[in-house]
Amino acid sequence: MDLIDVPQFVRNADRFREVVSVLAKHGLADWLSNIPIPWLNRIRGHHDDDELTTEQRIRVAMTELGTTFIKLGQVLSTRPDLVGNPLANELAQLRANTPADEANVVVAMIESELGATIDTLFAEFEPAAMASASIGQVHRATLHDGELVVVKVQHAGIERRIVNDLEIMTKLAEIAEQQSTRLRQYRPVHTMREFQRTLMKELNFDRELRNMEQFRRNFANDPTIRIAKAYPNLSSRRVLTMERFEGISLSDQSKLEASGIDLDEIARRGASVFVEMIFRDGFYHADPHPGNLMLLANQAAENAEPVEIGILDCGMVGRIDNELREHLELGLIAAVGQDAAKITDVVASVGEIPIGFDEPALMSSIQELIDEYAHQSLGEFDLSGFLHEIVEIIREHRIYLPAKVAMLLKVLVMLEGTAHQLSPSFCLAELIEPYGKRAMLRRFSPKKVYARLKSNVDDWERLISVLPKDAADILHNFKRGKFDVHLQHRRLEPIVNRLVLGILTAALFMGSASLCSSLVPPLLLGISVPGFIGCAVAVVMGYGITRSIRRSHRVGEDD
């Protein structure tokens, strides 16, 4: 596809030029060298940050390019199986410092979205934002009944800018996949589609409101956990009004230490909440960094009662469907039993395996990893280190994990890291181990066994109902001589075409060489002209076939 023919690049020409310029400035645009656009050559040049690593240059470039690229970096930081741990760790540092919109712009947005004046909606509204992130900013407000709330408002024009950037990034991903063998292994087009779906969901505050309500229902019977109450009548796609929490953020280490609260207990209780979300509910908060957790002030001073833990920012969530739950339970059972063969089966079942997948080599790598960690007691077990290494093994064997699996692994790593900030002795594996035992008991419980038997009986019943008729049809056609077997050969047509072309090229060369040796007229400088022309054409054809074979071999290796 020719880049200059793409309509969205005509609409976004200035932004596209800016994106490519920033990539070139940081030495990240070499893969665009084959694109036939004159001005690309003018902006590609020597970059001035040679002292930085490639991973650091990628982070700096994404920061400079703004919201959409920062969000892409944050999503890629959850995919160490795809980009590797060094780049994932570097991209995890990305933070958007987006300036807040002017007060009149914010008020206009709220009034337009909610269909009433700001004085009608709120008794008090602070025009100065208390915080501003990449997509929205947050303002304190008070309802007419005295309830303290915060109002999250989407930045004006951010959706249009993100959509334009997504168009540019999608086309750049297509070019990268076409032009760069090195970038093709990162599956840029597939990754961009996943990112586009994720980001468009995050732009819709209605989804975050529904997530909050779901979490509140799941933890309605736990008085020590608080999810902010949302106000649907004061919310919309671009505005979200929710209960205001007052307390100590888990990111404020000095205040936590001065509070006198038992941080070991907080670490254990907070991690237990997320483990329950994952293994009990199958619906979990996917961003458990310290800034999204808070010890609420109304009970922080009362040591007689458990301190409430408030959970903020429910925009990014993960879901575990029945299929993933089955694999997760099998993985937990295999991990408890240190069964490398079973873990290998789970990895191969969950991920997309490449052509020529070497299962014994994967099992050997996993067995070595298990042996390395086997001597550790449960209290000493480094779950984050184990998950990092198993992800690296998966990446080395070029297995592509679905986004939902990669997100779950990243959440477990982040969860242990957050808990370690509160309690260095905390061990997430101790919390997860009981779920492995429960998974084993549940898997072999009479109810589960009966469900599997019933499913198998239903499958056999369907098979028995259709087998006689299908078998009779096959025998009938066989008797009448109409029994055909249709074979489908993938990628066979290009191979046959090359084979035929190669035979023709060889025949042309041999025939032309015979004309030359027989001095068939007309002659030029003692050489047969038709023989010389035939040999030249055969050489050009042979070079074309050789080049085509080499290119297809490289593509096959990448696939």
Side-chain angles (χ1 to χ4, degrees), residues 371-439:
D371 292 342
E372 181 181 345
Y373 283 83
H375 69 279
Q376 296 183 2
S377 66
L378 188 62
E380 299 171 340
F381 188 78
D382 180 11
L383 181 64
S384 297
F386 181 83
L387 291 178
H388 272 129
E389 292 196 38
I390 202 165
V391 165
E392 193 60 35
I393 289 172
I394 290 171
R395 184 168 181 268
E396 286 174 3
H397 288 80
R398 303 177 66 183
I399 298 173
Y400 181 81
L401 292 178
K404 58 185 179 182
V405 178
M407 177 181 287
L408 176 59
L409 295 178
K410 184 66 176 180
V411 165
L412 291 173
V413 171
M414 289 180 64
L415 184 58
E416 185 165 62
T418 298
H420 273 163
Q421 292 186 25
L422 298 175
S423 172
S425 61
F426 173 82
C427 178
L428 184 59
E430 289 183 339
L431 290 182
I432 294 178
E433 188 200 23
Y435 289 92
K437 294 179 178 178
R438 290 178 203 170

Side-chain angles (χ1 to χ4, degrees), residues 489-503 545 548-549 552:
H489 300 278
R490 296 182 180 179
R491 301 184 179 179
L492 188 58
E493 185 178 349
I495 296 173
V496 172
N497 290 341
R498 290 194 197 104
L499 179 61
V500 172
L501 194 57
I503 293 173
I545 295 171
S548 175
I549 292 172
S552 65

